[in-house]
DNA sequence: ATTAATATTTAGACAAATCTAAAAATTAAT
DNA sequence: ATTAATTTTTAGATTTGTCTAAATATTAAT
């Protein structure tokens, strides 16, 4: 597996909803910021190696082998993100780019030991589940902040939009992973929320609320 | 800097005694297990980018810029080795190959944070000094086991020959980094040594003794 | 000081991953 | 059901790092 092949597999995995449906060539080109012709070339190679099923003009579908490969890469990516955030004090908006490099390091022992060192985390700093050694994916036991009702409480465990700008915004407003959140009330007018975050009052737009994952605390 | 360029710079650094003397093309080819013609090609590129000084048929000499680049790579390599050995419980004969990959990760912040996380180590698991952020290299305050005299004591802190076979050998005989060593006597016949290692008697050939670094404990 | 041996470079080719421009297939629109 | 618009593929070129084989320079040996 070359680095480039791995990146294609990963992109296809994400675009296909975890290998559920097939993906058009152009979507891959857009996602990876390359030309469609390059995608066609690479797809042929991946098809020869049986990572994907491919019929000309009909898009690509990940094979079983392709899905497992994708999960391995994603496992590595997310474990490294946890390492960077938990051990090296990176902010959650800084972990992605470095993890993008680290995910290509080849050593099974390294990943198993890292997993152990981090205490077998289930979720990465964005709240995304970390695939297990055998590819099993934990369900997110989460809900969006926007789906919560007054008086409900929870812990902020992830973001839906993991763009750098959103993560920067959260840092600026002192919203961090692990923060305790309680809903005070919901404005009827624009569905914005008044919340208590770590006991401090804060007003939050609907837009933001639909991008924050909360692990609910039962009342 | 491509990965390949970095590997050449590193090889030249080691072969030239830290940039002291110049290095013939063939030596680089041998060290890197490639063809001399490939070396010539790469050297031209490195020369264009001013990492090395190069006169046809006269070998290569690292420039100031080249030396600094080499030190940065070596710093990364050795810090990762410490991480693998100290935090992930790798044996010292297992750290090299993985560090060889990790040394190419590009992120200054990552390395600085890693350095801090590891408590600013001065030496890697083989006893080699770790270059500082500004390229300064600690002197080894070490001596070879073969240079020690009866009754002297010390701590085993490194190996000179870091080949996998030697490291495996040490593992097998339960000689580990940090072990306490006391010289009992030296055989006149073959200069082999009788030592006490962690209070257990052991007979060691001269060959081995010349490849183990000891930090002496003043009597 | 030639000649022989060795080291180094040049020239030309190749595989991987990409690109541009043109051709072909599919889909959408009338 | 054609035609137009869009998507996808093909063909051919480019860059990076490598190789082999041949040519050239340097060094060692007589």
């Amino acid at each position: 597996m070359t680095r480039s092949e791995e990146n294609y597999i990963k992109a296809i995995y994400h675009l296909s909803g975890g290998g559920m449906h097939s993906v058009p060539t152009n979507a891959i080109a857009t996602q990876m910021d390359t030309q469609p012709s390059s995608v066609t070339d690479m797809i042929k190679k991946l098809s020869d190696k049986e990572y994907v099923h491919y019929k000309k003009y009909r898009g690509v579908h990940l094979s079983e082998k392709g899905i497992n490969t994708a999960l391995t890469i994603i496992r590595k990516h997310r474990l490294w993100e946890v390492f960077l955030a938990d051990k090296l004090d990176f902010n959650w908006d800084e972990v992605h780019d470095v993890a993008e490099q680290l995910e290509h390091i080849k050593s099974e022992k390294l990943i198993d030991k890292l997993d152990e060192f981090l205490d077998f985390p289930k979720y990465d700093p964005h709240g995304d589940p970390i695939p297990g050694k055998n590819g099993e994916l934990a369900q997110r036991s989460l809900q969006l902040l926007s789906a919560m009702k007054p008086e409900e409480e929870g812990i902020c465990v992830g973001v839906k939009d993991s763009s750098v700008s959103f993560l920067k915004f959260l840092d600026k407003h002192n919203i961090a992973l692990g923060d305790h959140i309680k809903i005070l009330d919901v404005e009827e007018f624009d569905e914005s929320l008044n919340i208590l975050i770590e006991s401090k009052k804060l007003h939050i737009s609907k837009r933001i609320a639909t991008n924050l994952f909360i692990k609910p605390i039962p009342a």
Side-chain angles (χ1 to χ4, degrees), chain A:
Chain A
M1 276 258 97
T2 69
R3 176 169 299 230
S4 188
E5 286 169 347
E6 289 189 346
N7 285 331
Y8 273 93
I9 296 272
K10 197 174 46 137
I12 297 168
Y13 180 89
H14 288 309
L15 290 167
S16 67
M20 296 297 285
H21 38 85
S22 87
V23 183
T25 306
N26 261 18
I28 302 172
T30 305
Q31 163 91 7
M32 301 196 61
D33 204 24
T34 68
Q35 297 314 114
S37 56
S38 310
V39 176
T40 305
D41 287 345
M42 179 55 86
I43 280 171
K44 279 182 190 156
K45 204 201 303 184
L46 292 176
S47 177
D48 287 346
K49 297 189 177 181
E50 308 204 285
Y51 289 106
V52 300
H53 301 301
Y54 169 58
K55 275 254 165 73
K56 274 189 196 176
Y57 295 100
R58 291 276 97 115
V60 226
H61 203 111
L62 278 179
S63 69
E64 196 69 20
K65 182 178 171 189
I67 292 175
N68 287 330
T69 304
L71 285 171
T72 305
I73 301 165
I74 291 167
R75 171 173 159 78
K76 293 197 276 183
H77 182 99
R78 293 184 179 162
L79 282 173
W80 280 117
E81 286 195 340
V82 173
F83 171 72
L84 295 172
D86 284 12
K87 304 295 183 181
L88 302 194
D89 295 319
F90 275 59
N91 291 326
W92 39 345
D93 59 330
E94 299 172 316
V95 297
H96 184 78
D97 290 344
V98 182
E100 202 78 359
Q101 298 181 62
L102 286 163
E103 73 188 3
H104 297 291
I105 302 291
K106 281 165 186 55
S107 165
E108 205 178 325
K109 173 162 186 172
L110 171 61
I111 290 308
D112 292 345
K113 286 286 192 178
L114 183 64
D115 195 16
E116 183 185 345
F117 181 61
L118 299 172
D119 240 334
F120 307 105
K122 291 272 169 304
Y123 302 95
D124 78 7
H126 305 107
D128 293 315
I130 298 171
K133 202 167 151 49
N134 304 308
E136 67 285 10
L137 258 192
Q139 264 322 100
R140 275 207 229 237
S141 63
L142 315 176
Q143 62 179 206
L144 291 174
L145 178 52
S146 54
M148 294 179 71
K149 296 190 180 56
E151 295 302 305
E152 290 184 346
E153 299 175 45
I155 303 293
C156 177
V157 290
V159 294
K160 190 171 158 201
D161 171 2
S162 56
S163 71
V164 171
S165 62
F166 184 55
L167 297 172
K168 280 226 157 76
F169 172 90
L170 294 176
D171 273 340
K172 203 160 104 193
H173 289 75
N174 272 299
I175 302 173
L177 205 70
D179 280 359
H180 178 270
I181 285 179
K182 176 171 182 177
I183 312 292
L184 296 176
D185 58 88
V186 182
E187 301 286 350
E188 207 178 310
F189 163 60
D190 62 355
E191 296 181 79
S192 64
L193 300 170
N194 290 302
I195 65 174
L196 230 44
I197 185 153
E198 294 288 293
S199 312
K200 290 194 305 283
K201 269 193 186 180
L202 200 65
H203 183 79
I204 270 184
S205 73
K206 178 175 184 180
R207 175 75 194 286
I208 293 163
T210 55
N211 279 297
L212 274 177
F213 282 114
I214 307 299
K215 175 169 218 151
I217 300 173

